[in-house]
Amino acid sequence: MAKERTLVLCVDRDDDLGFKARIDGPIVGREACLHAAVTLGLADSEDSDINAIFETIKIYDDLVARGEEVAVAVICGNHMNLLEGDRRIAASLDAILSATNSTASILVTDGAEDEYVLPIIQSRVPVSSVRRVVVNQMPNLEGTYYILRRLLDDPKVSKIVLVPVGLAMLLYAVGYLLGYPEGATIVVVGVVGTYLLFKGVGIDEIFGYLITSMKTSLHGGRFTFVSYITAILLGIVGIFLGLVSLLDYYTSAGIFFQVLAFIYGAIAWFTAAGLVASGGKIIDVFLNEREAIRRVVALPFFVLAIGAIAYGASIYILSISSEVSGFPITADAGVKYIIFATIGGLFCAFLGVYLQSLLSRWGNDHEPLALKRGA
């Protein structure tokens, strides 16, 4: 029986090594990790990742002294885009496991943020222990001020904190300058609230991923670049028509009915945008990665299903509500709309799932025999 080999792994999810010390990950081997820690220490002696890397090396030395088979490595994410960073961590870990033949791992982190990648690591190799390195300090007022100042100097933190505060102050000043202080308050609260909602739900990462995908598509000559641009334009049209619908059927009954009025006017265009974007993705996958088409073939069916159900639901609620005046669809017709839209949406979703399952079975049946045997 082969002897178990343990990988002592340090995770730098925000890639301070690359951002501050200009060291590209992954970093494999004791000397390489030690050099990375020293270089990062010279670049920023207060970075907590330094202690995490040194702790990783210490655990590696202890296990080696006990006669165990051990490897040591540091993997890095992305300083500005955590979504792309997690993908980079997954790819780096696959390469390290293939190179070191490790069968277990010990995870070393410097905080809770890095532990978000624990499921990624566990999906590839068993994690036998997690070591979280915490630096002992004596906090005081001066130290707290210095820490806050250091955080605000970090581009990632300043972008989250300073941008909404600065934008709110600028909008408020413009409102007062134009003589509309009440309107300025509404605009400021709305903009800051939208920003916080985007950050809280993670929509900003989705936009970041979309921009990265568009750049990749443009440089690679992919069809998705055109489809994404078209989808964005359709989405802008949808927003405009949604606002027009909101003004036509505006009610003071509450934001719920206002959102439904917006959806009623915009959802068809949003659905068209989703269909164009997913259709472009399917075309690119079919032309360049045909074996992966089963993973994306269901996208347009799901988009159409969600759009149909949302459209039917908005019509039904607006038609039966006594708070909305001038709505062109009666309550009886609204019932028919939601029934047919729900049935049609569920059928589209089922069709997408069935087609995906069919292609998956077809792919498994046509998989090379050597791969099926694990050769």
Side-chain angles (χ1 to χ4, degrees), residues 285-286 289-297:
V285 171
F286 180 78
E289 309 171 62
R290 192 165 300 183
E291 67 282 355
I293 195 167
R294 57 195 176 195
R295 296 203 297 264
V296 298
V297 71

Side-chain angles (χ1 to χ4, degrees), residues 260 263 307-319 334 337-338 341-342:
L260 289 176
I263 291 175
I309 294 174
Y311 184 65
S314 63
I315 289 178
Y316 172 70
I317 297 177
L318 292 175
S319 64
Y337 267 101
I338 192 171
T342 302

Side-chain angles (χ1 to χ4, degrees), residues 296-356:
V296 298
V297 71
L299 288 178
F301 296 94
F302 288 165
V303 170
L304 188 59
I306 295 173
I309 294 174
Y311 184 65
S314 63
I315 289 178
Y316 172 70
I317 297 177
L318 292 175
S319 64
I320 65 173
S321 174
S322 60
E323 303 290 340
V324 180
S325 60
F327 193 68
I329 300 175
T330 63
D332 293 337
V335 174
K336 296 178 181 179
Y337 267 101
I338 192 171
I339 291 175
F340 287 117
T342 302
I343 294 175
L346 292 176
F347 177 77
C348 284
F350 170 77
L351 188 61
V353 172
Y354 177 77
L355 184 58
Q356 186 178 47

Side-chain angles (χ1 to χ4, degrees), residues 42-300:
L42 293 175
D44 183 2
S45 59
E46 297 174 337
D47 196 299
S48 58
D49 286 306
I50 302 170
N51 300 281
I53 299 174
F54 278 126
E55 179 66 19
T56 303
I57 298 173
K58 179 178 181 297
I59 294 175
Y60 169 81
D61 290 341
D62 292 342
L63 294 179
V64 169
R66 289 161 52 181
E68 297 188 20
E69 291 285 336
V70 195
V72 62
V74 179
I75 54 178
C76 306
N78 187 293
H79 191 77
M80 304 303 294
N81 191 320
L82 294 182
L83 179 62
E84 289 300 320
D86 289 346
R87 290 186 168 187
R88 182 186 178 194
I89 287 173
S92 300
L93 181 58
D94 289 336
I96 292 172
L97 293 175
S98 176
T100 61
N101 296 319
S102 300
T103 56
S105 66
I106 297 174
L107 176 62
V108 182
T109 77
D110 66 338
E113 183 183 47
D114 290 336
E115 293 175 15
Y116 281 112
V117 301
L118 182 59
I120 300 175
I121 298 173
Q122 287 177 321
S123 67
R124 288 161 170 78
V125 62
V127 177
S128 57
S129 178
V130 177
R131 175 76 170 92
R132 183 175 179 184
V133 180
V134 179
V135 181
N136 294 323
Q137 293 179 333
M138 183 64 69
N140 51 45
L141 184 59
E142 181 181 359
T144 302
Y145 164 75
Y146 184 71
I147 291 172
L148 290 175
R149 195 182 71 179
R150 295 285 297 178
L151 285 175
L152 293 178
D153 287 339
D154 190 323
K156 185 177 66 174
V157 178
S158 61
K159 184 176 68 173
I160 297 174
V161 177
L162 298 183
V163 169
V165 174
L167 181 61
M169 295 175 67
L170 179 62
L171 292 174
Y172 207 77
V174 170
Y176 261 101
L177 185 63
L178 297 177
Y180 296 102
E182 298 84 0
T185 303
I186 295 174
V187 171
V188 167
V189 173
V191 169
V192 174
T194 303
Y195 176 83
L196 294 178
L197 182 63
F198 269 50
K199 294 297 295 186
V201 179
I203 300 178
D204 61 314
E205 293 192 9
I206 296 176
F207 278 109
Y209 172 71
L210 179 61
I211 293 174
T212 303
S213 300
M214 290 181 63
K215 290 181 180 178
T216 304
S217 300
L218 177 61
H219 296 156
R222 299 295 183 93
F223 184 76
T224 46
F225 177 75
V226 178
S227 66
Y228 285 166
I229 294 295
T230 306
I232 291 173
L233 294 176
L234 291 174
I236 293 173
V237 174
I239 293 174
F240 175 75
L241 293 180
L243 293 175
V244 171
S245 175
L246 173 60
L247 294 176
D248 289 340
Y249 309 115
Y250 180 82
T251 175
S252 58
I255 192 172
F256 176 70
F257 293 100
Q258 297 167 10
V259 170
L260 289 176
F262 177 84
I263 291 175
Y264 172 70
I267 192 62
W269 293 91
F270 288 166
T271 303
L275 290 175
V276 170
S278 57
K281 182 68 174 178
I282 291 175
I283 291 175
D284 264 351
V285 171
F286 180 78
L287 295 176
N288 301 285
E289 309 171 62
R290 192 165 300 183
E291 67 282 355
I293 195 167
R294 57 195 176 195
R295 296 203 297 264
V296 298
V297 71
L299 288 178

